[in-house]
Amino acid sequence: MSLSPVDLPNSYIGRAMPRPNLARLTQGRGEYVSDLSLPRMLHVVFLRSPYAHAEIASIDSSEAAKMPGVARIVTGRELAEICSPWVGVLSHLKGLKSAPQHALAVDRARWQGEPVVAILARSRAEAEDAAERIYVDYTELPPAVDAFAAATPGAVPIHADLGDNIAFERTLDAGDVEAAAAASDHVIAQRFVFGRHTGVTLEARSIVADWNRAAQRLTVHVGSQAPHMMQNIIAKHLAIEEHQVRVLTHDVGGSFGIKVHVYAEDMAVSALAKLMGRPVKFFADRLESFVSDIHARDHVVDGRIGVTRDGRITFFEIDDITGIGPYSVYPRTSAVEANQVVNLVGGNYAVPNYRARARVVFQNKTPTSQYRAVGHPIACSVTEGLVDLAAKAIGMDPVEFRRRNLYADDAYPCTAASGIRFEGLSHHASLDKLLAMMDLPKLRADQAAARVRGVHRGIGLASFIEITNPGPAFYGVGGARISSQDGAAVKLDATGCVTVQSSITEQGQGSAAIIAQVTASAIGVPIERVRVILGDTDNTPYGGGTWASRGAGIGGEAAFQAGRALRDNLLTVAAAILQSTPEHLDIRQGVVVDAADGRARLELSELARIAYFRPDTLPRDMQTELMATRHYVPRDYAFAFTNGIQASYLEVDTETGFIRLLNHWVVEDCGQPINPLLVDEQVRGGVVQGLGAALFEQCRYDDQGQMINANMADYLVPMAGEMPDIAVGHVITPTAESAIGAKGAGEAGTAGAAACVANAVNDALSPFGVVITEIPLTPEVVLQALGRV
């Protein structure tokens, strides 16, 4: 009788056995080899489709299965037997549709880079060697590459069962746009084009999954922003209970939103670990990351704005089309970005008339979905680009034009034309602070002097709003099991130190530092005596994780509330020990003191000793509780909106088309900053990412759906030497929804950076009478606009 690795007891797996040859075994329709000298952990490599659209006629893995170190080769049809497909839709996005997606392609591949076959081996190198000996017979099909062509009535649908390639369409009509247009002195129309790009995180996507047959549990180490979401989804599609899955997401090397989704490779690795009864590891290399990590921002927006001679905006109108690849990404979907664009355009201006349409279109490219500042850079670039064009049309200074149209700082609470609600913002205070920081008259003088020398410099502004702290109706209302709340459990150990377990996660933005700081402040202990545990579904409260600029505002508030609850418990115990009352005591620097004069009364370590080991000395009716757990979710507003404004000063070389960034300024109102240094660096990091989109980053495709710059030599990212000094200032408008008053700050820099750079480029090129509304602003784009290519 032959045994597969699945059949072997754990004690035998990984033990060297004196076998002269590899035993070729067959189980069902899959061929693999069982070599008991293989290490316990297996590495998986995915053979990916070289075509954007193709039928899979047959797969021959017989030669690969015989190669050294190969444990098993699995096709999509086999894996579908143990891992069910998923559909990335949300019910509150009316009409959104998508086809079922499998962990490995079954019958048809629909983008270049879609995984088709999984090769498990004792090393990645051996798996890669085996992949070269797998022969897939493809029948190439015509790809749908252009979103406009794919959306045309009668276009061949990528998924025949769906009927057409329109995944989602949303329209909005507020006020009376036609009447507003008729009353306008000028109506300006412009097309805005946004290049598709991706996250390029420092650490590529990675996952290790291990199925423990004795415990009947799957342990998954994965670079993810949302461990509880991953736990639920893995359990659902492997048909096991949620408690049978433990997900750990410790320090993740960058994410920017691309690691908040469920990838085919994640599900495949989890299923393969269960199938093989061994740990299975996948670590994407940079080349495959470019065609498998989600992309974003692939939009073309036709915009219109109306304006009167006295500088009043009468209406905004947009028509947005975006190509999202062949599937709506699970579980957050690929419609949210376009939906956000509709929500956000014109949202910082007091304009009641607004009409919008957004179409989300299937195509044969890498799937797109949420990425840092979802929809914000598009909405901001369209809004601020139209605002500058309107100001120019009536000959008004763009600063003054904004002053006349931005929501007044005393106008809140209020609701924008799109229906989004604002608790309290500070557009005018932010604008005033920005102008003071940048010294606009001095810059204008420098600009004029430079033009005399034939040097073309420009100044651009961009006001923005940012969605943070999403409330309870963000995903759950659409049926996705993604928690809007976060939780924290805080406890005092027997030595007087504090441990806090939080449901938010760390991707390098300082989540652990914020939780430690908030908890220390809430209790009254030194921050160095606080230990933080994040990213472990077995050891943290249930929560949403870190995304949408919610870590400090929601996770931090939960930690603060838990810390205050523990503090109250500690003071109750201290009062009993000291024969006092909680009201007369306080905790400062880890010591119980008299509230009135600060006199030290009791070390927390001594309080813990008594509570844990000598409760017999406490009152008989006292049960000490040295642990507190709290959860928090905002209730009054769907989002805690922040606002700000950015400015760019740059120089355009009209001979070469190169753009040199000279200075950049940001004023951000993110509520109450908890850690100002972290906030400033989050803003700067966001600006750099936005500048990358403005000048460098683009996933370029040919007409066959092949990504032609899927490597770090041809896909350009911003480098330190190309970045300007970035000055950051703040206006503080705390949210009243929470005790700490914090909103989010992680995406503000990205939201406005591209818009102000584009406006600055157009300002620099104004003597030539050209307007560029396409990003990235590559030298080629600049020279084409100048008629020099």
Side-chain angles (χ1 to χ4, degrees):
M1 181 180 72
S2 299
L3 292 177
S4 74
V6 177
D7 300 317
L8 292 171
N10 283 342
S11 59
Y12 286 98
I13 296 176
R15 182 180 299 176
M17 302 291 286
R19 298 196 174 200
N21 298 304
L22 296 176
R24 183 175 175 217
L25 304 175
T26 301
Q27 178 180 354
R29 286 173 287 176
E31 289 190 2
Y32 61 95
V33 294
S34 175
D35 180 359
L36 297 183
S37 67
L38 290 173
R40 174 162 167 74
M41 186 166 75
L42 299 173
H43 294 257
V44 64
V45 163
F46 295 99
L47 181 65
R48 300 178 182 275
S49 171
Y51 300 108
H53 199 193
E55 294 281 359
I56 302 171
S58 64
I59 299 173
D60 181 1
S61 61
S62 57
E63 185 177 344
K66 301 173 185 177
M67 294 186 67
V70 174
R72 185 162 185 172
I73 297 171
V74 180
T75 65
R77 193 169 296 280
E78 294 172 84
L79 201 61
E81 296 179 2
I82 58 172
C83 180
S84 62
W86 52 88
V87 180
V89 298
L90 292 169
S91 61
H92 67 297
L93 297 177
K94 300 299 183 184
L96 173 60
K97 63 189 180 187
S98 187
Q101 183 180 357
H102 289 269
L104 298 175
V106 178
D107 297 330
R108 182 177 291 195
R110 290 182 170 87
W111 85 87
Q112 177 218 2
E114 183 174 7
V116 175
V117 181
I119 304 97
L120 295 129
R122 63 188 170 192
S123 71
R124 181 182 177 96
E126 288 172 316
E128 289 178 341
D129 289 343
E132 295 181 359
R133 300 300 178 92
I134 296 175
Y135 304 100
V136 182
D137 183 9
Y138 293 99
T139 302
E140 193 172 0
L141 300 171
V145 179
D146 179 74
F148 283 99
T152 302
V156 177
I158 292 173
H159 304 281
D161 293 345
L162 298 182
D164 59 33
N165 292 318
I166 304 297
F168 175 68
E169 183 170 354
R170 179 188 173 190
T171 59
L172 185 151
D173 202 341
D176 191 336
V177 169
E178 295 303 327
S184 301
D185 294 309
H186 295 271
V187 173
I188 299 96
Q190 188 67 44
R191 170 167 285 190
F192 296 82
V193 179
F194 300 88
R196 167 187 282 246
H197 54 278
T198 187
V200 197
T201 56
L202 186 64
E203 176 191 51
R205 289 187 297 112
S206 58
I207 180 172
V208 176
D210 182 15
W211 175 254
N212 185 314
R213 294 180 61 208
Q216 290 289 290
R217 291 198 81 202
L218 184 70
T219 300
V220 181
H221 298 260
V222 60
S224 173
Q225 299 171 237
H228 285 99
M229 179 197 80
M230 293 297 296
Q231 177 190 40
N232 169 263
I233 288 171
I234 291 170
K236 176 181 177 180
H237 292 281
L238 296 188
I240 57 180
E241 297 295 330
E242 194 167 303
H243 67 80
Q244 291 179 270
V245 180
R246 179 187 184 187
V247 176
L248 298 101
T249 60
H250 293 313
D251 292 344
V252 176
S255 182
F256 316 127
I258 73 162
K259 296 176 184 174
V260 78
H261 310 288
V262 174
Y263 286 89
E265 294 91 346
D266 298 334
M267 300 306 297
V269 168
S270 299
L272 292 169
K274 190 170 185 294
L275 175 69
M276 300 300 291
R278 298 187 184 189
V280 175
K281 176 181 179 179
F282 168 69
F283 204 115
D285 66 30
R286 192 62 68 183
L287 298 179
E288 63 186 334
S289 290
F290 274 113
V291 294
S292 61
D293 292 358
I294 64 103
H295 296 176
R297 313 276 207 256
D298 192 359
H299 290 247
V300 177
V301 183
D302 290 318
R304 289 204 308 157
I305 187 172
V307 62
T308 60
R309 291 188 188 92
D310 63 352
R312 295 294 175 182
I313 299 173
T314 57
F315 75 92
F316 285 100
E317 182 177 16
I318 65 162
D319 190 350
D320 177 22
I321 187 168
T322 177
I324 62 163
Y327 298 99
S328 176
V329 173
Y330 187 61
R332 296 168 190 262
T333 84
S334 300
V336 170
E337 184 170 75
N339 197 60
Q340 298 282 63
V341 172
V342 172
N343 287 337
L344 295 171
V345 163
N348 35 349
Y349 294 98
V351 179
N353 306 302
Y354 176 44
R355 185 160 59 203
R357 177 174 74 151
R359 288 175 294 163
V360 177
V361 182
F362 293 123
Q363 59 184 172
N364 295 114
K365 293 182 180 179
T366 300
T368 72
S369 194
Q370 285 93 311
Y371 166 65
R372 192 176 193 172
V374 183
H376 292 67
I378 298 151
C380 185
S381 292
V382 171
T383 300
E384 295 301 296
L386 289 172
V387 164
D388 262 24
L389 291 173
K392 182 179 180 180
I394 62 172
M396 183 175 287
D397 179 80
V399 172
E400 177 58 27
F401 189 71
R402 285 174 171 80
R403 287 195 194 279
R404 296 192 183 193
N405 291 282
L406 288 166
Y407 275 108
D409 289 356
D410 61 358
Y412 305 98
C414 66
T415 302
S418 68
I420 55 179
R421 297 172 60 229
F422 303 125
E423 177 192 8
L425 301 175
S426 59
H427 289 298
H428 291 269
S430 298
L431 176 58
D432 290 341
K433 182 151 192 172
L434 180 83
L435 295 174
M437 290 169 59
M438 64 189 292
D439 194 353
L440 185 57
K442 182 179 178 180
L443 292 179
R444 287 297 184 197
D446 180 75
Q447 179 187 36
R451 280 187 182 169
V452 172
R453 304 192 308 270
V455 176
H456 298 280
R457 293 179 174 175
I459 302 165
L461 303 180
S463 174
F464 63 88
I465 51 177
E466 179 198 356
I467 289 173
T468 77
N469 296 4
F474 197 49
Y475 283 117
V477 69
R481 296 178 69 85
I482 302 169
S483 180
S484 292
Q485 72 173 12
D486 271 300
V490 182
K491 63 183 178 182
L492 186 75
D493 70 19
T495 68
C497 292
V498 173
T499 298
V500 54
Q501 298 155 291
S502 170
S503 58
I504 71 169
T505 52
E506 178 71 82
Q507 296 96 46
Q509 66 274 75
S511 296
I514 290 296
I515 294 299
Q517 185 175 341
V518 167
T519 304
S521 299
I523 300 172
V525 299
I527 192 171
E528 58 268 19
R529 303 198 71 183
V530 178
R531 175 178 176 240
V532 177
I533 297 174
L534 306 174
D536 183 349
T537 56
D538 270 10
N539 289 297
T540 61
Y542 206 99
T546 300
W547 43 271
S549 297
R550 65 190 301 279
I554 297 180
E557 177 68 16
F560 183 82
Q561 291 184 10
R564 297 302 282 185
L566 177 60
R567 178 183 178 278
D568 291 344
N569 294 348
L570 296 177
L571 290 176
T572 298
V573 176
I577 296 172
L578 299 173
Q579 299 184 359
S580 181
T581 63
E583 295 76 18
H584 290 90
L585 299 173
D586 195 5
I587 302 174
R588 301 172 190 171
Q589 291 298 303
V591 179
V592 179
V593 301
D594 283 332
D597 58 14
R599 181 169 60 93
R601 299 290 304 277
L602 182 68
E603 295 279 348
L604 286 184
S605 57
E606 177 62 11
L607 184 154
R609 185 192 68 81
I610 294 171
Y612 284 122
F613 309 122
R614 291 301 308 275
D616 58 295
T617 64
L618 297 173
R620 290 179 58 84
D621 60 351
M622 173 174 283
Q623 176 59 56
T624 59
E625 295 288 350
L626 303 191
M627 183 172 184
T629 301
R630 293 292 184 271
H631 289 80
Y632 173 73
V633 63
R635 294 288 182 180
D636 294 336
Y637 289 85
F639 307 100
F641 274 91
T642 72
N643 73 274
I645 188 165
Q646 298 189 32
S648 175
Y649 189 43
L650 53 76
E651 181 176 305
V652 181
D653 187 327
T654 56
E655 297 300 321
T656 66
F658 280 90
I659 296 167
R660 185 163 67 98
L661 302 169
L662 303 175
N663 278 294
H664 200 100
W665 299 265
V666 185
V667 174
E668 158 77 343
D669 185 346
C670 62
Q672 179 59 56
I674 297 171
N675 187 312
L677 180 60
L678 283 178
V679 170
D680 285 358
E681 297 314 310
Q682 276 287 294
V683 171
R684 287 190 177 96
V687 167
V688 169
Q689 206 148 13
L691 296 176
L695 300 179
F696 307 112
E697 298 187 53
Q698 185 173 21
C699 299
R700 301 177 62 193
Y701 281 81
D702 65 17
D703 59 4
Q704 294 302 305
Q706 299 287 314
M707 186 175 171
I708 59 177
N709 64 330
N711 59 78
M712 292 301 293
D714 298 321
Y715 182 97
L716 304 181
V717 295
M719 307 294 284
E722 298 155 343
M723 293 298 101
D725 287 339
I726 302 170
V728 180
H730 296 279
V731 174
I732 299 175
T733 308
T735 175
E737 282 220 69
S738 67
I740 63 176
K743 303 177 187 178
E747 297 166 289
T750 310
C756 69
V757 165
N759 284 346
V761 168
N762 286 327
D763 184 48
L765 298 180
S766 58
F768 299 89
V770 300
V771 173
I772 305 175
T773 52
E774 176 182 351
I775 61 172
L777 289 155
T778 62
E780 182 181 15
V781 168
V782 173
L783 293 177
Q784 283 178 342
L786 292 169
R788 297 182 179 178
V789 173

